[in-house]
Amino acid sequence: MGQLVRREGRATGPLPPAPPRRRAAVVRRAAVLLAVPAFVWYLVFLVGPLVSVFFFSLTDASTLIAPRHLVGLDNFSTVLTDDVFWTSAKNTAIQVGIVVPVMVVLGFMLGYYLFLRPPLAGLLRILFFTSALLSVATKAMIFYAILAPDGLVNQGLGGLGLDGLRNNWLANPDTVLPVIMATDLWAGVGFLAVLFSAQLTALPTEVIDASKLDGCGNWRTMWYVAFGMVRGFVGVVAMLQYLWTLFLSATTVLLLTRGGPGTSSFTLSFLVWSKAFQQSDIGYSQAVGVILFVLGLAGTVLIRLGLRSRT
């Protein structure tokens, strides 16, 4: 019951409700006030650094606090005529082109296997998720111990009498990039498997059961039924993994090879770090950063178009 309005000591009836327009205006003002902190955070920590990347790419700055002058597109001209940039671009293309699809496919397959609740499924989830709990430095040290000249791989090959296959895996230009990609795959496949498993558990079991009644085996059910139902989620995961591989490969390269031997393991993100912090060439570094931004935006759009949900 609405509150009664008293006039001259008498109840005359309930208060009339607020007009819908007034209520809507109050809700809008409250929503704006609640969104202000997030909007300020977005401007300061996302838009601000992005604008600074574009600005510094047009200058001859050697450090962030050194005097600088606008040089227009000179940094981009230097970048596009630099052999190191093209080596980094080729390595990045190979890394992204192999790591992202392989990681997403293997992660989805392992996630579907966990979805089927095999024996020791809980233990498998813990084991798969373990790689996500380790720091990047720890992962790099594990692979260094395995692939060092006197590491586990070479010792194992020697023990099997296969000394001809022993290799300096981290100092050979032909093997160093595959080693970095193997590190990325080992670190990410298990984590994606847990994500996909959690997403698959939200599917209606009636659809999965109906496909099996129609004669579909696990393989066909996985790809023709389950994959189609989580296609949009697969697209989101693929976009995130693409961005992680594109922008964060510098850490693994730095810890394992520092770009060597020579520049054979340079990637674009490592080139950004190397130019900025080793060679004090902020202008060049941020020009590569702009190129990375464009590649990241274009790649996410293409992945979104290719893997968007069809429902």
Side-chain angles (χ1 to χ4, degrees):
M1 296 295 292
Q3 182 181 357
L4 298 181
V5 178
R6 294 183 177 274
R7 293 183 179 176
E8 298 178 357
R10 294 178 301 171
T12 60
L15 288 172
R21 290 184 179 179
R22 182 179 298 175
R23 290 201 302 270
V26 171
V27 171
R28 284 196 299 269
R29 285 196 294 269
V32 169
L33 289 176
L34 291 174
V36 165
F39 183 69
V40 172
W41 182 91
Y42 181 81
L43 288 177
V44 173
F45 294 103
L46 292 178
V47 176
L50 183 60
V51 171
S52 69
V53 168
F54 281 87
F55 170 75
F56 280 105
S57 70
L58 302 176
T59 70
D60 60 355
S62 58
T63 66
L64 294 177
I65 60 175
R68 66 188 75 91
H69 304 89
L70 290 174
V71 295
L73 300 177
D74 288 355
N75 288 320
F76 292 93
S77 299
T78 303
V79 166
L80 296 177
T81 57
D82 187 357
D83 291 337
V84 177
F85 168 78
W86 290 111
T87 298
S88 304
K90 182 188 71 174
N91 290 341
T92 299
I94 294 172
Q95 183 184 29
V96 169
I98 294 176
V99 169
V100 175
V102 170
M103 188 178 296
V104 172
V105 170
L106 290 181
F108 178 76
M109 293 174 67
L110 287 176
Y112 185 79
Y113 179 70
L114 293 176
F115 166 70
L116 297 177
R117 296 182 180 178
L120 302 177
L123 177 61
L124 289 175
R125 282 189 173 88
I126 295 174
L127 292 177
F128 288 162
F129 197 71
T130 300
S131 61
L133 302 178
L134 300 177
S135 67
V136 179
T138 302
K139 298 170 190 175
M141 290 303 298
I142 290 173
F143 271 79
Y144 184 83
I146 294 173
L147 298 167
D150 57 348
L152 296 178
V153 172
N154 284 338
Q155 289 182 13
L157 291 173
L160 295 173
L162 301 174
D163 292 299
L165 297 179
R166 292 167 62 97
N167 201 337
N168 194 349
W169 305 98
L170 296 174
N172 187 336
D174 296 327
T175 60
V176 65
L177 187 60
V179 165
I180 292 171
M181 292 190 292
T183 306
D184 290 339
L185 288 171
W186 178 84
V189 168
F191 177 65
L192 294 192
V194 175
L195 290 182
F196 283 125
S197 173
Q199 182 66 20
L200 288 168
T201 57
L203 296 180
T205 56
E206 297 82 2
V207 178
I208 303 296
D209 294 338
S211 67
K212 294 180 178 179
L213 290 176
D214 289 337
C216 292
N218 283 327
W219 183 264
R220 297 185 65 185
T221 301
M222 176 175 62
W223 290 114
Y224 292 98
V225 179
F227 181 83
M229 297 178 71
V230 297
R231 187 185 183 94
F233 182 75
V234 173
V236 173
V237 171
M239 285 189 294
L240 292 176
Q241 189 58 54
Y242 168 76
L243 294 175
W244 288 337
T245 305
L246 185 67
F247 290 110
L248 302 181
S249 63
T251 307
T252 304
V253 174
L254 175 64
L255 293 173
L256 281 178
T257 68
R258 298 187 68 86
T263 60
S264 58
S265 61
F266 265 61
T267 62
L268 289 178
S269 61
F270 182 78
L271 182 61
V272 171
W273 177 87
S274 177
K275 285 291 182 178
F277 295 100
Q278 286 188 314
Q279 303 178 35
S280 298
D281 192 348
I282 295 295
Y284 183 111
S285 170
Q286 298 312 292
V288 178
V290 171
I291 295 173
L292 268 176
F293 172 78
V294 174
L295 292 175
L297 184 62
T300 53
V301 170
L302 291 176
I303 293 172
R304 175 60 180 169
L305 292 176
L307 290 174
R308 62 183 174 182
S309 177
R310 295 179 179 177
T311 57

